[in-house]
Amino acid sequence: MKRIAIFASGSGSNFEAIVDAYNRGELNCEPALCVCDRKGAYVIERARKLNVPVIVAHPRDFEDKAAYERFLLEKLMELDIDLICLAGYMRLIGEVLLEGYGNRIINIHPSLLPAFKGAHAIKDAFDYGVKVYGVTIHFVDETLDGGKIISQGAFPYEGTDFEELESRIHKLEHQLYPKTINKIISNL
Ligand code: GRF
């Protein structure tokens, strides 16, 4: 069975959704590692509860970003990781990981890319007043939320309740990410 690493910086609800899909027998690869770049992030607790090994490391603890990524690359190789899935990892992937993992790094973003790139996509789309919201999963390149699109999900929403909207988007993410990982893994 192929093995994936999930990179996250925050809450980790997508991480948990992927592991839950695996535990239900609905994922065709094993979530074998969680990488977190923020000490104290809730995803670390989730990973421990779900028995997924976690690496917590920050570029600050290394000479530079390349050294940080070399450290991660070594761990990913040691653990035979086939695919990196970014899930709320608030950092651009650098040259070392891009070279090491080529087109085997994917990301989930809570908007219909190329609209609303960046860290506040849901709020930005809401404030803009869009009528159709969605989620994108794409290959990662050196640009912010760039790279070839793999899958998208969308729904119309004309309400005014931001929290309701956010939770609908996250629900869609939690369904779409495991399915998309299955598709990518079976083509590796
Ligand atoms: C998600 O909305 C994801 O699309 C974005 O960051 C958020 C992470 O949420 N890139 P969580 O940490 O998985 O709960």
Side-chain angles (χ1 to χ4, degrees), residues 158-172:
E158 299 206 18
T160 53
D161 184 340
F162 181 68
E163 278 175 17
E164 181 196 13
L165 170 67
E166 246 186 342
S167 85
R168 285 189 61 182
I169 289 183
H170 292 313
K171 200 169 158 206
L172 178 58

Side-chain angles (χ1 to χ4, degrees), residues 61-79:
D61 307 330
F62 297 80
E63 199 180 315
D64 53 20
K65 182 166 175 166
Y68 161 72
E69 289 201 341
R70 275 196 299 276
F71 164 79
L72 291 181
L73 186 59
E74 205 172 288
K75 297 283 175 201
L76 295 164
M77 303 294 230
E78 254 171 47
L79 291 168

